[in-house]
Every structure is written in C-alpha cells, then in structure tokens.
Amino acid sequence: MSIELHCGDCLERMGGIPDESVDVVLTDPPYGLGFMGKAWDSSCIQNNVEVWKQCLRVLKRGGYLLSFGG
C-alpha cells in the first residue's frame, strides 16, 4: 500500500494527477463565512465548480470524497 499526501493549491496540484487514480479526496476548504474577518475564509473556493470537477476527475470509480463545510 502506498500513501501520498499532496499539499498546496488544489487546482495546481490536481492538474498533475492522472484521471481516476485517487482512492480518497479529503479536503477542508475555507467555509466562506468570513470567519473572524480573515481574508482566507472569503476565497469562495467552495463555490468554484472547477475544483469539484477536478476532484471527480482524479477519483477512481467508487472512490470517496470527504469535504468538511460550515
């Protein structure tokens, strides 16, 4: 069994991952609630359709996507 963690900008990192090659996508994106007025929580990445398309592209059939949200 091999485990690889990819850290960084999700769109940049997923662009280099082959189609249907990932068993699990685990993500905790900013919730977009403006938490404590922090700029990083207002990125609206959770609403970026391209992010979720890339998640589905890299996932194997029957793979799991676990995303936290608020």
Side-chain angles (χ1 to χ4, degrees), residues 4-61:
E4 264 185 68
L5 297 177
H6 296 264
C7 297
D9 180 284
C10 62
L11 286 175
E12 290 175 13
R13 299 298 305 207
M14 281 193 289
I17 298 174
D19 294 356
E20 298 185 15
S21 63
V22 173
D23 294 305
V24 177
V25 173
L26 174 63
T27 181
D28 187 8
Y31 299 167
L33 302 174
F35 179 71
M36 295 178 64
K38 304 292 184 184
W40 56 261
D41 195 40
S42 300
S43 68
C44 293
I45 195 168
Q46 73 281 4
N47 298 324
N48 184 337
V49 174
E50 190 58 32
V51 169
W52 305 110
K53 283 182 180 179
Q54 287 296 313
C55 287
L56 290 175
R57 180 188 65 78
V58 301
L59 268 176
K60 291 179 181 177
R61 291 185 183 266

